[in-house]
Amino acid sequence: MKISVKDGPSGDIQTGETVGDALSELGIASQDILAAKVEGAVVDLSRPLSASSTVEPLRFDSSEGREVYRHSSTHIMAQAVKELFPAAQLTIGPALEDSFYYDFAFERPFTPEDLERIEERAAEIIKRNLTITRQEFSKQDAIDFFKARGEHYKVELIQGFPDGEPITVYTQGDFVDLCRGPHLPTTGSVGAIKLLNTAGAYWRGDERNPMLQRIYGTSFPTRAEVDAYLARLEEIKRRDHRKVGKELDLISIQDEIGPGLVLWHPKGAAVRLLIENFWREQHIRDGYQLVYSPHTARLDLWKTSGHLDYYRENMFPSMKLEGSEYQLKPMNCPYHIMIYQSHLRSYRDLPIRYGELGTVYRYERTGVLHGLMRVRGFTQDDAHLFCRPDQMEQEVSRVLDFTFFVLRTFGFHQFEVFLSTRPKESVGGDEHWTLATSALEAALKSRNISFHLDPGGGAFYGPKIDIKIKDALGRSWQCSTVQVDFNNPERFELSYIGEDGKAHRPIMIHRALMGSIERFFGILIEHYGGAFPTWLAPVQAVVMNITDHQRDYIVAVVAQLRAAGFRAEADLRNEKIGFKIREAEKAKVPFMLVAGNREMQDGTLSVRGRSGSNLGSMTVAEVLGLLGTEVKHTQREFQPTH
RNA sequence: GCUGGCGUAGCUCAAUCGGCAGAGCAGCGGUUUUGUAAACCGCAGGUUGGAGGUUCGAUUCCUCUCGCCAGCUCCA
């Protein structure tokens, strides 16, 4: 039979030879080939070839190769655990993007000391270089086999598998695990393994189930790559917005105020104000009308909107006042709907776009609160568009353009887009869903945006597009969302008068670009490591004197910078210049402007950029130009394309 | 909410196997007038998250509670 290697040689191979042998016969075998893709399926190198096919060798540089690598690593870790703690039962152990974990049913949590021992044992298992073999069992045989080994979770898993299909089992030495595979040829194929941490995790992710002991770890071909990964974890810690937010005095969350409730300190508030001003200006440019709504409303409003039925457990409890009940708002939509309702609307009025930086309060379970990323009171950059069905695609395209513009302005350039379709439980007729879903899809296609489909992932009231941004450390965050809503227009009986003189139901689109300002700010802090671009920096320049002689000069320069609209501060303290520089560096101020007698005489400033760059001497006018250019470079104005 | 860990000065962290709680930085007062990431001297700063219990004595041990952290689950 003929075997051809993708982008490589091809030749005649005897039927029944393994993938690995075939590759070496074709002269491209090497240690770094981990598995192979045969006709689209990832398989072990030990898999026999039965028909002519194309083989693609998988190495660590492919995501599929890495997955096999991490998957085998988690088996090695599991083997180490079983050797050291035979009472531990196996459950599941998948590969993650850069790491892996395995969940064990064990009587107690693993300690850091256990982890060290397990890691040592894992390294030893790698050294043993055990061959990893694949076997197929019938369902009943597999159940009997794992029952006999006391692996009750494995038995439960197998019982859930469809009848008639073979069950695959992988063996390395004495260690046997139920696994779909594929795996590396030997345990020695793993270069370096490092266990990271332990945590509790529910069996099958359900909090009603017993809690298992999860161990996280990672592995790479070389120790150096493991170290680089650990360094990256350190960098993530260094940039943690909770740490940086405190160091730069941006925000605080205090016990006395309440968990999940954020205080914006002057510098954090300065950045927020810049974000908000930018947001408002650009929305007005893009044809939105900005509105405001109160933080509470009669409970009846939330009954009409349906929030009380399906969102109550996430709402603060209501409060009684003058014989009626009021509810702290968990969403902005009903208010915008009521503004729409306040007039009879014509088809000529549509689309109507209401935008609001609307602060909402949601009851989040204590365990899920996390710095700025998950809070109980937050401000959504919310907007609701009311449009005719024929305007939907155009409006969604417009929102997409606007979203990418805003995200790019804040320094995000890599995105992942998801289109989520009708879930099992949903409201609205088929024709609505089809129309809306195809409008979303057409909008994405019209902008040449590649996207992943998330079938059944939509809200019960309509399909949606979610946009995830990738930050400087390659982590994904979901901020933006565009959701079509058939439910609220029905519930509130929204209408507009069409050309035909009859009432029609408008379509409502919910959308947020940043999601919540709190979370977005947290992401920004980590993205920039606190070193905001000049247009967002709470303080753009610190002007500092060398001795008291330059005091008046500094004061005058600061006044000039401020008059030109820049956020400048004077540092006139009786301290050495090195100390002042250090403080400004720690505060991540973009520009440090130093004046001694020399500069004062020449009417110049010695300009130092953040992180040490020496930009030389400049006149005050030149400094103004420099700051202006810096700001313009990063902040842009939206140009609607419609 | 669940499992585990942790709460000591404004911040970062020591110490107490149950016996007077201690440093650096920050703050305040002086000295110093300084050239690109930390000048020097001094002063002050604490019901050791909160409540209860055991004890001659608790910050340390126990119980409860609040909060934080790592995850699970959920989510903007």
Side-chain angles (χ1 to χ4, degrees), chain A residues 539 541 555-570 624 627:
Chain A
V539 177
V555 170
V557 167
V558 168
Q560 274 188 74
L561 291 172
R562 287 191 175 166
F566 296 110
R567 297 179 292 281
E569 281 182 5
L624 288 172
L627 289 174

Side-chain angles (χ1 to χ4, degrees), chain A residues 275 279 332 356-360 362 372-373 378-383 403 406-407 467 469 477-482 511-521 523:
Chain A
I275 295 171
W279 188 93
N332 302 301
E356 177 180 9
L357 294 166
T359 303
V360 298
R362 298 182 184 178
L372 290 171
M373 302 305 194
F378 60 98
T379 300
Q380 294 181 306
D381 68 317
D382 214 354
T403 305
V406 168
L407 295 177
I467 299 168
I469 54 181
W477 301 97
Q478 203 221 299
C479 298
S480 317
T481 183
V482 188
R511 56 99 285 200
L513 312 179
M514 301 183 283
S516 108
I517 296 190
E518 282 75 7
R519 171 186 282 186
F520 194 71
F521 187 48
I523 297 166

